[in-house]
Amino acid sequence: MSFIRVLLAIFFPPLAVLGKGCGSFLIVLLLTFCGWVPGVIAALVILNNPN
């Protein structure tokens, strides 16, 4: 997990997980619309997953 990805996950979560696939992007986008904190948490969890 790079420093730039972490910053993106904090400020704009969907952009941080764009490289992880369309499904991850849509989930994080939906959670970000529901609230900023759930989107950030989901983005950090997805970025922290090695797969």
Side-chain angles (χ1 to χ4, degrees):
M1 199 163 49
S2 70
F3 181 69
I4 294 172
R5 291 269 180 156
V6 172
L7 285 178
L8 279 175
I10 292 171
F11 293 112
F12 192 66
L15 189 59
V17 297
L18 193 58
K20 294 288 187 173
C22 183
S24 297
F25 176 77
L26 291 176
I27 290 170
V28 173
L29 184 66
L30 180 67
L31 286 170
T32 303
F33 284 145
C34 292
W36 177 72
V37 173
V40 170
I41 292 171
L44 289 174
V45 167
I46 291 171
L47 288 175
N48 206 19
N49 188 3
N51 294 334

